[in-house]
Short mmCIF file of all heavy atoms in Angstrom, two decimals:
data_model
loop_
_atom_site.label_atom_id
_atom_site.label_comp_id
_atom_site.label_asym_id
_atom_site.label_seq_id
_atom_site.Cartn_x
_atom_site.Cartn_y
_atom_site.Cartn_z
N MET E 6 -22.89 16.56 -9.21
CA MET E 6 -21.87 16.22 -8.22
C MET E 6 -20.50 16.43 -8.85
O MET E 6 -20.23 15.94 -9.95
CB MET E 6 -22.09 14.77 -7.82
CG MET E 6 -21.15 14.24 -6.81
SD MET E 6 -21.79 14.51 -5.17
CE MET E 6 -20.42 13.97 -4.21
N PRO E 7 -19.61 17.14 -8.19
CA PRO E 7 -18.28 17.35 -8.76
C PRO E 7 -17.44 16.08 -8.71
O PRO E 7 -17.70 15.18 -7.91
CB PRO E 7 -17.68 18.44 -7.87
CG PRO E 7 -18.39 18.30 -6.59
CD PRO E 7 -19.77 17.85 -6.93
N LYS E 8 -16.46 16.04 -9.58
CA LYS E 8 -15.54 14.90 -9.57
C LYS E 8 -14.67 14.97 -8.33
O LYS E 8 -14.39 16.05 -7.82
CB LYS E 8 -14.67 14.92 -10.82
CG LYS E 8 -15.44 14.62 -12.09
CD LYS E 8 -14.52 14.36 -13.24
CE LYS E 8 -14.04 15.66 -13.84
NZ LYS E 8 -13.26 15.45 -15.06
N LEU E 9 -14.24 13.81 -7.84
CA LEU E 9 -13.38 13.74 -6.67
C LEU E 9 -11.93 13.66 -7.11
O LEU E 9 -11.62 13.06 -8.14
CB LEU E 9 -13.71 12.50 -5.84
CG LEU E 9 -15.13 12.45 -5.28
CD1 LEU E 9 -15.38 11.09 -4.65
CD2 LEU E 9 -15.34 13.54 -4.27
N LYS E 10 -11.05 14.27 -6.34
CA LYS E 10 -9.62 14.21 -6.66
C LYS E 10 -8.97 13.03 -5.97
O LYS E 10 -9.23 12.75 -4.81
CB LYS E 10 -8.92 15.51 -6.24
CG LYS E 10 -9.27 16.67 -7.12
CD LYS E 10 -8.28 17.80 -6.95
CE LYS E 10 -8.57 18.88 -7.98
NZ LYS E 10 -7.56 19.93 -7.96
N THR E 11 -8.11 12.35 -6.72
CA THR E 11 -7.32 11.25 -6.18
C THR E 11 -6.15 11.83 -5.41
O THR E 11 -5.51 12.77 -5.86
CB THR E 11 -6.81 10.36 -7.32
OG1 THR E 11 -7.92 9.79 -7.98
CG2 THR E 11 -5.90 9.27 -6.81
N HIS E 12 -5.86 11.28 -4.24
CA HIS E 12 -4.69 11.67 -3.46
C HIS E 12 -3.47 11.10 -4.17
O HIS E 12 -3.29 9.87 -4.23
CB HIS E 12 -4.82 11.12 -2.04
CG HIS E 12 -3.77 11.62 -1.10
ND1 HIS E 12 -2.45 11.25 -1.20
CD2 HIS E 12 -3.86 12.45 -0.04
CE1 HIS E 12 -1.76 11.85 -0.24
NE2 HIS E 12 -2.61 12.59 0.48
N ARG E 13 -2.65 11.97 -4.76
CA ARG E 13 -1.57 11.49 -5.63
C ARG E 13 -0.50 10.71 -4.87
O ARG E 13 0.11 9.79 -5.41
CB ARG E 13 -0.93 12.67 -6.37
CG ARG E 13 -1.90 13.41 -7.29
CD ARG E 13 -2.73 12.51 -8.20
NE ARG E 13 -1.89 11.75 -9.11
CZ ARG E 13 -2.28 10.67 -9.78
NH1 ARG E 13 -3.51 10.22 -9.64
NH2 ARG E 13 -1.48 10.05 -10.59
N GLY E 14 -0.25 11.07 -3.61
CA GLY E 14 0.70 10.30 -2.82
C GLY E 14 0.22 8.88 -2.59
O GLY E 14 0.99 7.92 -2.65
N ALA E 15 -1.08 8.73 -2.31
CA ALA E 15 -1.65 7.40 -2.10
C ALA E 15 -1.67 6.61 -3.39
O ALA E 15 -1.47 5.39 -3.38
CB ALA E 15 -3.06 7.53 -1.53
N ALA E 16 -1.91 7.27 -4.51
CA ALA E 16 -1.96 6.57 -5.80
C ALA E 16 -0.62 5.93 -6.14
O ALA E 16 -0.57 4.91 -6.82
CB ALA E 16 -2.38 7.54 -6.89
N LYS E 17 0.47 6.54 -5.66
CA LYS E 17 1.80 5.99 -5.93
C LYS E 17 2.15 4.85 -4.98
O LYS E 17 3.08 4.10 -5.25
CB LYS E 17 2.84 7.10 -5.81
CG LYS E 17 2.68 8.18 -6.86
CD LYS E 17 3.50 9.40 -6.54
CE LYS E 17 3.14 10.53 -7.52
NZ LYS E 17 3.79 11.78 -7.17
N ARG E 18 1.44 4.73 -3.87
CA ARG E 18 1.81 3.76 -2.84
C ARG E 18 0.89 2.55 -2.74
O ARG E 18 1.30 1.51 -2.22
CB ARG E 18 1.85 4.46 -1.47
CG ARG E 18 3.01 5.39 -1.32
CD ARG E 18 2.89 6.24 -0.07
NE ARG E 18 4.09 7.02 0.17
CZ ARG E 18 4.38 8.16 -0.41
NH1 ARG E 18 3.53 8.68 -1.30
NH2 ARG E 18 5.49 8.80 -0.14
N PHE E 19 -0.34 2.67 -3.19
CA PHE E 19 -1.31 1.59 -3.04
C PHE E 19 -1.89 1.18 -4.38
O PHE E 19 -2.08 2.01 -5.26
CB PHE E 19 -2.46 2.03 -2.12
CG PHE E 19 -2.01 2.50 -0.77
CD1 PHE E 19 -2.04 3.85 -0.46
CD2 PHE E 19 -1.55 1.62 0.18
CE1 PHE E 19 -1.63 4.31 0.78
CE2 PHE E 19 -1.13 2.05 1.42
CZ PHE E 19 -1.17 3.40 1.72
N LYS E 20 -2.18 -0.12 -4.51
CA LYS E 20 -2.85 -0.64 -5.70
C LYS E 20 -4.07 -1.43 -5.24
O LYS E 20 -4.01 -2.15 -4.25
CB LYS E 20 -1.92 -1.56 -6.49
CG LYS E 20 -0.69 -0.88 -7.04
CD LYS E 20 -1.02 -0.03 -8.24
CE LYS E 20 0.20 0.67 -8.77
NZ LYS E 20 0.14 2.12 -8.68
N ALA E 21 -5.16 -1.33 -5.99
CA ALA E 21 -6.38 -2.06 -5.65
C ALA E 21 -6.30 -3.47 -6.20
O ALA E 21 -5.75 -3.71 -7.28
CB ALA E 21 -7.60 -1.35 -6.23
N THR E 22 -6.84 -4.43 -5.45
CA THR E 22 -6.93 -5.79 -5.92
C THR E 22 -8.29 -5.99 -6.57
O THR E 22 -9.15 -5.12 -6.51
CB THR E 22 -6.78 -6.79 -4.75
OG1 THR E 22 -7.86 -6.58 -3.85
CG2 THR E 22 -5.46 -6.60 -4.04
N ALA E 23 -8.50 -7.15 -7.17
CA ALA E 23 -9.77 -7.42 -7.85
C ALA E 23 -10.93 -7.48 -6.87
O ALA E 23 -12.07 -7.18 -7.22
CB ALA E 23 -9.67 -8.72 -8.62
N SER E 24 -10.65 -7.84 -5.61
CA SER E 24 -11.72 -7.93 -4.61
C SER E 24 -12.02 -6.59 -3.96
O SER E 24 -12.89 -6.51 -3.11
CB SER E 24 -11.33 -8.95 -3.53
OG SER E 24 -10.19 -8.51 -2.83
N GLY E 25 -11.27 -5.53 -4.33
CA GLY E 25 -11.55 -4.21 -3.78
C GLY E 25 -10.70 -3.84 -2.59
O GLY E 25 -10.85 -2.76 -2.04
N ARG E 26 -9.82 -4.73 -2.16
CA ARG E 26 -8.91 -4.40 -1.07
C ARG E 26 -7.69 -3.71 -1.66
O ARG E 26 -7.57 -3.56 -2.87
CB ARG E 26 -8.52 -5.66 -0.31
CG ARG E 26 -9.70 -6.27 0.43
CD ARG E 26 -9.35 -7.60 1.06
NE ARG E 26 -8.21 -7.51 1.96
CZ ARG E 26 -8.29 -7.22 3.26
NH1 ARG E 26 -9.47 -6.97 3.79
NH2 ARG E 26 -7.22 -7.18 4.01
N PHE E 27 -6.76 -3.26 -0.81
CA PHE E 27 -5.58 -2.55 -1.29
C PHE E 27 -4.32 -3.25 -0.82
O PHE E 27 -4.26 -3.76 0.29
CB PHE E 27 -5.58 -1.10 -0.79
CG PHE E 27 -6.68 -0.29 -1.40
CD1 PHE E 27 -7.88 -0.12 -0.74
CD2 PHE E 27 -6.52 0.29 -2.65
CE1 PHE E 27 -8.90 0.62 -1.30
CE2 PHE E 27 -7.54 1.03 -3.22
CZ PHE E 27 -8.73 1.18 -2.55
N LYS E 28 -3.33 -3.28 -1.70
CA LYS E 28 -2.04 -3.85 -1.32
C LYS E 28 -1.01 -2.74 -1.28
O LYS E 28 -1.17 -1.69 -1.91
CB LYS E 28 -1.62 -4.97 -2.28
CG LYS E 28 -1.51 -4.57 -3.73
CD LYS E 28 -1.21 -5.78 -4.58
CE LYS E 28 -1.11 -5.36 -6.04
NZ LYS E 28 -0.77 -6.48 -6.91
N ARG E 29 0.06 -2.98 -0.51
CA ARG E 29 1.10 -1.99 -0.31
C ARG E 29 2.44 -2.70 -0.29
O ARG E 29 2.50 -3.92 -0.11
CB ARG E 29 0.90 -1.25 1.00
CG ARG E 29 1.01 -2.17 2.22
CD ARG E 29 1.02 -1.42 3.52
NE ARG E 29 1.10 -2.34 4.65
CZ ARG E 29 2.22 -2.85 5.14
NH1 ARG E 29 3.39 -2.55 4.58
NH2 ARG E 29 2.20 -3.67 6.18
N SER E 30 3.51 -1.95 -0.45
CA SER E 30 4.84 -2.53 -0.31
C SER E 30 5.32 -2.29 1.12
O SER E 30 4.81 -1.43 1.83
CB SER E 30 5.80 -1.94 -1.33
OG SER E 30 5.81 -0.54 -1.24
N LYS E 31 6.32 -3.04 1.53
CA LYS E 31 6.81 -2.96 2.90
C LYS E 31 7.88 -1.89 3.04
O LYS E 31 8.53 -1.52 2.07
CB LYS E 31 7.35 -4.31 3.34
CG LYS E 31 6.27 -5.37 3.41
CD LYS E 31 6.80 -6.67 3.94
CE LYS E 31 5.69 -7.70 4.00
NZ LYS E 31 6.18 -9.00 4.46
N ALA E 32 8.05 -1.42 4.26
CA ALA E 32 9.04 -0.38 4.56
C ALA E 32 10.38 -1.00 4.92
O ALA E 32 10.51 -2.22 5.00
CB ALA E 32 8.52 0.48 5.71
N TYR E 33 11.38 -0.14 5.15
CA TYR E 33 12.71 -0.53 5.64
C TYR E 33 13.54 -1.27 4.59
O TYR E 33 14.39 -2.09 4.95
CB TYR E 33 12.61 -1.37 6.93
CG TYR E 33 11.83 -0.68 8.00
CD1 TYR E 33 10.57 -1.15 8.36
CD2 TYR E 33 12.32 0.45 8.64
CE1 TYR E 33 9.83 -0.51 9.35
CE2 TYR E 33 11.60 1.11 9.62
CZ TYR E 33 10.35 0.61 9.97
OH TYR E 33 9.64 1.24 10.93
N LYS E 34 13.35 -0.99 3.31
CA LYS E 34 14.13 -1.66 2.28
C LYS E 34 14.95 -0.64 1.47
O LYS E 34 15.47 -0.95 0.42
CB LYS E 34 13.19 -2.45 1.35
CG LYS E 34 13.88 -3.31 0.29
CD LYS E 34 14.61 -4.47 0.91
CE LYS E 34 15.68 -5.09 0.06
NZ LYS E 34 15.40 -5.46 -1.27
N SER E 35 15.09 0.59 1.98
CA SER E 35 15.73 1.61 1.15
C SER E 35 17.19 1.88 1.48
O SER E 35 17.96 2.23 0.59
CB SER E 35 14.94 2.91 1.23
OG SER E 35 14.87 3.34 2.57
N HIS E 36 17.61 1.72 2.72
CA HIS E 36 19.01 1.98 3.06
C HIS E 36 19.39 1.21 4.32
O HIS E 36 18.54 0.57 4.95
CB HIS E 36 19.27 3.48 3.24
CG HIS E 36 18.51 4.10 4.36
ND1 HIS E 36 19.05 4.36 5.58
CD2 HIS E 36 17.21 4.47 4.44
CE1 HIS E 36 18.12 4.89 6.37
NE2 HIS E 36 17.00 4.97 5.71
N ILE E 37 20.66 1.24 4.67
CA ILE E 37 21.25 0.45 5.77
C ILE E 37 20.91 -1.03 5.55
O ILE E 37 20.35 -1.70 6.43
CB ILE E 37 20.79 0.94 7.16
CG1 ILE E 37 20.88 2.46 7.27
CG2 ILE E 37 21.65 0.32 8.26
CD1 ILE E 37 20.37 3.03 8.58
N LEU E 38 21.26 -1.53 4.38
CA LEU E 38 20.92 -2.91 4.03
C LEU E 38 22.01 -3.90 4.42
O LEU E 38 21.77 -5.11 4.39
CB LEU E 38 20.64 -3.01 2.52
CG LEU E 38 19.48 -2.15 2.02
CD1 LEU E 38 19.39 -2.21 0.52
CD2 LEU E 38 18.18 -2.57 2.66
N THR E 39 23.22 -3.41 4.77
CA THR E 39 24.32 -4.33 5.03
C THR E 39 24.09 -5.16 6.29
O THR E 39 24.52 -6.31 6.35
CB THR E 39 25.64 -3.55 5.18
OG1 THR E 39 25.46 -2.53 6.15
CG2 THR E 39 26.05 -2.94 3.86
N LYS E 40 23.40 -4.62 7.28
CA LYS E 40 23.19 -5.37 8.52
C LYS E 40 21.94 -6.25 8.48
O LYS E 40 21.67 -6.95 9.45
CB LYS E 40 23.11 -4.42 9.72
CG LYS E 40 21.95 -3.46 9.68
CD LYS E 40 21.86 -2.65 10.97
CE LYS E 40 22.83 -1.50 10.94
NZ LYS E 40 22.56 -0.53 12.03
N LYS E 41 21.19 -6.21 7.40
CA LYS E 41 19.97 -7.00 7.31
C LYS E 41 20.26 -8.33 6.61
O LYS E 41 20.97 -8.37 5.60
CB LYS E 41 18.89 -6.23 6.57
CG LYS E 41 18.45 -4.99 7.32
CD LYS E 41 17.50 -4.12 6.56
CE LYS E 41 17.23 -2.86 7.37
NZ LYS E 41 16.72 -1.78 6.57
N ASP E 42 19.69 -9.41 7.14
CA ASP E 42 19.87 -10.73 6.54
C ASP E 42 19.28 -10.76 5.14
O ASP E 42 18.28 -10.07 4.87
CB ASP E 42 19.15 -11.79 7.37
CG ASP E 42 19.75 -11.98 8.74
OD1 ASP E 42 20.83 -11.44 8.99
OD2 ASP E 42 19.11 -12.67 9.55
N PRO E 43 19.82 -11.61 4.25
CA PRO E 43 19.22 -11.75 2.92
C PRO E 43 17.76 -12.19 2.97
O PRO E 43 16.93 -11.70 2.19
CB PRO E 43 20.09 -12.81 2.25
CG PRO E 43 21.40 -12.71 2.94
CD PRO E 43 21.09 -12.32 4.34
N LYS E 44 17.44 -13.07 3.91
CA LYS E 44 16.04 -13.51 4.03
C LYS E 44 15.13 -12.35 4.40
O LYS E 44 14.02 -12.22 3.88
CB LYS E 44 15.94 -14.62 5.08
CG LYS E 44 14.54 -15.15 5.29
CD LYS E 44 14.53 -16.22 6.34
CE LYS E 44 13.11 -16.69 6.61
NZ LYS E 44 13.09 -17.75 7.63
N ARG E 45 15.60 -11.52 5.32
CA ARG E 45 14.80 -10.35 5.75
C ARG E 45 14.58 -9.40 4.58
O ARG E 45 13.48 -8.91 4.35
CB ARG E 45 15.51 -9.66 6.90
CG ARG E 45 14.78 -8.48 7.48
CD ARG E 45 15.54 -7.97 8.68
NE ARG E 45 15.08 -6.66 9.08
CZ ARG E 45 15.75 -5.88 9.90
NH1 ARG E 45 16.91 -6.25 10.40
NH2 ARG E 45 15.28 -4.69 10.23
N LYS E 46 15.64 -9.13 3.81
CA LYS E 46 15.52 -8.22 2.66
C LYS E 46 14.60 -8.81 1.60
O LYS E 46 13.81 -8.09 0.97
CB LYS E 46 16.90 -7.93 2.08
CG LYS E 46 17.76 -7.08 2.99
CD LYS E 46 19.02 -6.63 2.31
CE LYS E 46 20.08 -7.70 2.32
NZ LYS E 46 21.39 -7.20 1.88
N ARG E 47 14.68 -10.13 1.40
CA ARG E 47 13.84 -10.79 0.42
C ARG E 47 12.38 -10.69 0.82
O ARG E 47 11.51 -10.42 -0.02
CB ARG E 47 14.28 -12.25 0.31
CG ARG E 47 13.69 -13.03 -0.83
CD ARG E 47 14.44 -14.33 -1.07
NE ARG E 47 14.46 -15.19 0.11
CZ ARG E 47 15.56 -15.52 0.79
NH1 ARG E 47 16.75 -15.03 0.44
NH2 ARG E 47 15.50 -16.32 1.83
N HIS E 48 12.09 -10.86 2.09
CA HIS E 48 10.70 -10.75 2.54
C HIS E 48 10.20 -9.31 2.51
O HIS E 48 8.99 -9.09 2.36
CB HIS E 48 10.56 -11.35 3.93
CG HIS E 48 10.48 -12.85 3.93
ND1 HIS E 48 11.60 -13.65 3.81
CD2 HIS E 48 9.42 -13.68 3.97
CE1 HIS E 48 11.23 -14.91 3.80
NE2 HIS E 48 9.90 -14.96 3.90
N LEU E 49 11.09 -8.33 2.64
CA LEU E 49 10.67 -6.94 2.55
C LEU E 49 10.31 -6.55 1.12
O LEU E 49 9.63 -5.54 0.90
CB LEU E 49 11.79 -6.02 3.07
CG LEU E 49 12.01 -6.03 4.57
CD1 LEU E 49 13.25 -5.22 4.92
CD2 LEU E 49 10.80 -5.49 5.31
N ASP E 50 10.74 -7.34 0.13
CA ASP E 50 10.42 -7.06 -1.26
C ASP E 50 8.98 -7.43 -1.61
O ASP E 50 8.45 -6.97 -2.61
CB ASP E 50 11.36 -7.82 -2.19
CG ASP E 50 12.54 -6.98 -2.62
OD1 ASP E 50 12.46 -5.74 -2.50
OD2 ASP E 50 13.53 -7.55 -3.08
N MET E 51 8.36 -8.30 -0.81
CA MET E 51 7.01 -8.78 -1.12
C MET E 51 5.97 -7.71 -0.78
O MET E 51 6.16 -6.92 0.12
CB MET E 51 6.71 -10.04 -0.32
CG MET E 51 7.64 -11.17 -0.59
SD MET E 51 7.25 -12.53 0.50
CE MET E 51 8.66 -13.58 0.20
N GLU E 52 4.89 -7.74 -1.52
CA GLU E 52 3.79 -6.84 -1.21
C GLU E 52 2.89 -7.49 -0.17
O GLU E 52 2.85 -8.71 -0.05
CB GLU E 52 2.99 -6.51 -2.47
CG GLU E 52 3.75 -5.61 -3.41
CD GLU E 52 2.92 -5.15 -4.58
OE1 GLU E 52 1.99 -5.88 -4.97
OE2 GLU E 52 3.21 -4.08 -5.10
N THR E 53 2.17 -6.68 0.58
CA THR E 53 1.25 -7.17 1.59
C THR E 53 -0.02 -6.34 1.54
O THR E 53 -0.08 -5.32 0.84
CB THR E 53 1.91 -7.11 2.99
OG1 THR E 53 1.05 -7.73 3.93
CG2 THR E 53 2.19 -5.69 3.41
N MET E 54 -1.03 -6.78 2.25
CA MET E 54 -2.30 -6.07 2.23
C MET E 54 -2.28 -4.94 3.25
O MET E 54 -1.63 -5.01 4.28
CB MET E 54 -3.44 -7.04 2.59
CG MET E 54 -3.56 -8.23 1.65
SD MET E 54 -3.73 -7.76 -0.06
CE MET E 54 -5.36 -7.12 -0.06
N VAL E 55 -3.01 -3.87 2.94
CA VAL E 55 -3.22 -2.79 3.90
C VAL E 55 -4.08 -3.36 5.02
O VAL E 55 -4.98 -4.17 4.78
CB VAL E 55 -3.91 -1.60 3.20
CG1 VAL E 55 -4.37 -0.56 4.19
CG2 VAL E 55 -2.99 -0.99 2.17
N SER E 56 -3.82 -2.96 6.25
CA SER E 56 -4.56 -3.51 7.39
C SER E 56 -6.05 -3.16 7.29
O SER E 56 -6.44 -2.19 6.64
CB SER E 56 -4.00 -2.97 8.71
OG SER E 56 -4.30 -1.60 8.83
N ASP E 57 -6.85 -3.98 7.94
CA ASP E 57 -8.31 -3.76 7.91
C ASP E 57 -8.68 -2.39 8.46
O ASP E 57 -9.62 -1.76 7.98
CB ASP E 57 -9.02 -4.85 8.71
CG ASP E 57 -8.96 -6.21 8.03
OD1 ASP E 57 -8.80 -6.23 6.79
OD2 ASP E 57 -9.07 -7.23 8.72
N ALA E 58 -7.95 -1.92 9.47
CA ALA E 58 -8.25 -0.62 10.07
C ALA E 58 -8.00 0.52 9.10
O ALA E 58 -8.61 1.59 9.23
CB ALA E 58 -7.41 -0.43 11.33
N ASP E 59 -7.12 0.34 8.12
CA ASP E 59 -6.76 1.41 7.19
C ASP E 59 -7.41 1.29 5.82
O ASP E 59 -7.27 2.19 4.99
CB ASP E 59 -5.24 1.46 7.01
CG ASP E 59 -4.54 1.84 8.31
OD1 ASP E 59 -5.10 2.66 9.06
OD2 ASP E 59 -3.44 1.32 8.55
N GLN E 60 -8.10 0.20 5.54
CA GLN E 60 -8.69 -0.02 4.21
C GLN E 60 -9.64 1.11 3.82
O GLN E 60 -9.59 1.61 2.70
CB GLN E 60 -9.44 -1.35 4.16
CG GLN E 60 -8.55 -2.57 4.15
CD GLN E 60 -7.93 -2.85 2.81
OE1 GLN E 60 -8.29 -2.28 1.77
NE2 GLN E 60 -6.96 -3.74 2.81
N GLU E 61 -10.49 1.52 4.72
CA GLU E 61 -11.49 2.55 4.40
C GLU E 61 -10.82 3.89 4.14
O GLU E 61 -11.20 4.62 3.23
CB GLU E 61 -12.50 2.68 5.52
CG GLU E 61 -13.67 3.56 5.15
CD GLU E 61 -14.76 3.57 6.20
OE1 GLU E 61 -14.69 2.80 7.16
OE2 GLU E 61 -15.69 4.39 6.04
N ALA E 62 -9.79 4.23 4.93
CA ALA E 62 -9.08 5.49 4.73
C ALA E 62 -8.40 5.53 3.37
O ALA E 62 -8.44 6.55 2.67
CB ALA E 62 -8.05 5.69 5.84
N VAL E 63 -7.79 4.42 2.97
CA VAL E 63 -7.13 4.36 1.66
C VAL E 63 -8.17 4.46 0.55
O VAL E 63 -7.95 5.12 -0.46
CB VAL E 63 -6.29 3.07 1.54
CG1 VAL E 63 -5.73 2.92 0.13
CG2 VAL E 63 -5.16 3.07 2.55
N SER E 64 -9.32 3.83 0.73
CA SER E 64 -10.34 3.88 -0.32
C SER E 64 -10.89 5.29 -0.50
O SER E 64 -11.30 5.66 -1.60
CB SER E 64 -11.47 2.89 -0.03
OG SER E 64 -12.26 3.34 1.04
N HIS E 65 -10.89 6.11 0.56
CA HIS E 65 -11.32 7.50 0.41
C HIS E 65 -10.28 8.32 -0.34
O HIS E 65 -10.62 9.25 -1.07
CB HIS E 65 -11.59 8.12 1.78
CG HIS E 65 -12.90 7.70 2.37
ND1 HIS E 65 -14.12 7.97 1.78
CD2 HIS E 65 -13.18 6.98 3.48
CE1 HIS E 65 -15.08 7.46 2.51
NE2 HIS E 65 -14.54 6.84 3.55
N MET E 66 -9.00 7.97 -0.16
CA MET E 66 -7.95 8.70 -0.88
C MET E 66 -7.90 8.30 -2.34
O MET E 66 -7.41 9.07 -3.17
CB MET E 66 -6.59 8.44 -0.21
CG MET E 66 -6.44 9.10 1.13
SD MET E 66 -4.78 9.01 1.77
CE MET E 66 -4.75 7.37 2.43
N LEU E 67 -8.39 7.11 -2.66
CA LEU E 67 -8.39 6.62 -4.04
C LEU E 67 -9.84 6.37 -4.48
O LEU E 67 -10.29 5.23 -4.57
CB LEU E 67 -7.58 5.31 -4.14
CG LEU E 67 -6.13 5.41 -3.70
CD1 LEU E 67 -5.49 4.04 -3.67
CD2 LEU E 67 -5.36 6.35 -4.60
N PRO E 68 -10.58 7.43 -4.76
CA PRO E 68 -12.01 7.28 -5.01
C PRO E 68 -12.34 6.51 -6.29
O PRO E 68 -13.43 5.97 -6.41
CB PRO E 68 -12.52 8.72 -5.10
CG PRO E 68 -11.33 9.52 -5.48
CD PRO E 68 -10.16 8.83 -4.85
N TYR E 69 -11.43 6.46 -7.25
CA TYR E 69 -11.73 5.78 -8.50
C TYR E 69 -11.04 4.42 -8.59
O TYR E 69 -11.13 3.76 -9.62
CB TYR E 69 -11.38 6.67 -9.69
CG TYR E 69 -12.25 7.91 -9.65
CD1 TYR E 69 -11.71 9.14 -9.27
CD2 TYR E 69 -13.60 7.84 -9.91
CE1 TYR E 69 -12.51 10.27 -9.20
CE2 TYR E 69 -14.41 8.96 -9.84
CZ TYR E 69 -13.87 10.17 -9.48
OH TYR E 69 -14.65 11.28 -9.38
N GLY E 70 -10.37 4.00 -7.50
CA GLY E 70 -9.97 2.60 -7.39
C GLY E 70 -11.22 1.87 -6.96
O GLY E 70 -12.30 2.47 -6.86
N ARG E 71 -11.13 0.62 -6.69
CA ARG E 71 -12.32 -0.09 -6.23
C ARG E 71 -12.61 0.34 -4.79
O ARG E 71 -11.72 0.60 -4.03
CB ARG E 71 -12.09 -1.59 -6.31
CG ARG E 71 -11.99 -2.06 -7.76
CD ARG E 71 -11.65 -3.52 -7.77
NE ARG E 71 -12.29 -4.40 -8.69
CZ ARG E 71 -13.55 -4.50 -9.04
NH1 ARG E 71 -14.43 -3.67 -8.60
NH2 ARG E 71 -13.97 -5.40 -9.87
N ARG E 72 -13.87 0.38 -4.43
CA ARG E 72 -14.26 0.80 -3.08
C ARG E 72 -14.21 -0.40 -2.15
O ARG E 72 -14.68 -1.48 -2.49
CB ARG E 72 -15.68 1.37 -3.08
CG ARG E 72 -15.83 2.65 -3.86
CD ARG E 72 -15.01 3.76 -3.31
NE ARG E 72 -15.63 4.33 -2.11
CZ ARG E 72 -15.23 5.44 -1.55
NH1 ARG E 72 -14.23 6.11 -2.04
NH2 ARG E 72 -15.83 5.88 -0.48
N TYR E 73 -13.65 -0.18 -0.96
CA TYR E 73 -13.61 -1.22 0.06
C TYR E 73 -14.97 -1.30 0.72
O TYR E 73 -15.56 -0.30 1.08
CB TYR E 73 -12.53 -0.89 1.10
CG TYR E 73 -12.45 -1.89 2.21
CD1 TYR E 73 -12.09 -3.20 1.96
CD2 TYR E 73 -12.71 -1.51 3.51
CE1 TYR E 73 -12.02 -4.11 2.96
CE2 TYR E 73 -12.65 -2.42 4.53
CZ TYR E 73 -12.30 -3.73 4.26
OH TYR E 73 -12.22 -4.64 5.28
N LYS E 74 -15.48 -2.50 0.87
CA LYS E 74 -16.81 -2.68 1.46
C LYS E 74 -16.71 -3.29 2.83
O LYS E 74 -15.94 -4.14 3.10
CB LYS E 74 -17.67 -3.52 0.56
CG LYS E 74 -17.90 -2.81 -0.77
CD LYS E 74 -18.76 -3.65 -1.67
CE LYS E 74 -19.10 -2.94 -2.94
NZ LYS E 74 -18.09 -2.38 -3.71
#
């Protein structure tokens, strides 16, 4: 069986947790920050989990991360 290639774009955006799920960072934190409240910007800095609907797709792009079950 040949080795599988990791999707390099996904590897830069997602990290696997110990339970096999994937976490991601939030969007909308890169520019036009002057009109956003400090609380909103602070919450955009936190990481969150990839949605259940997308977990399997991310696990296929990252074959050597943990597999989502």
Side-chain angles (χ1 to χ4, degrees):
M6 180 90 186
K8 291 192 278 187
L9 298 173
K10 288 197 173 186
T11 297
H12 188 290
R13 298 313 298 163
K17 295 167 188 173
R18 288 170 173 82
F19 304 107
K20 296 284 179 244
T22 63
S24 64
R26 293 174 56 89
F27 292 95
K28 58 185 180 178
R29 64 171 179 85
S30 54
K31 295 184 180 178
Y33 305 109
K34 186 68 200 310
S35 58
H36 63 100
I37 314 176
L38 299 174
T39 53
K40 64 174 81 167
K41 295 174 184 160
D42 293 350
K44 180 180 177 180
R45 183 175 165 195
K46 290 189 279 190
R47 190 165 58 245
H48 280 80
L49 288 173
D50 265 341
M51 300 176 190
E52 289 186 332
T53 186
M54 301 305 288
V55 170
S56 70
D57 290 335
D59 295 325
Q60 288 282 348
E61 189 174 353
V63 173
S64 72
H65 283 297
M66 289 189 279
L67 301 173
Y69 297 106
R71 292 175 139 316
R72 295 298 283 191
Y73 178 64
K74 296 180 175 53

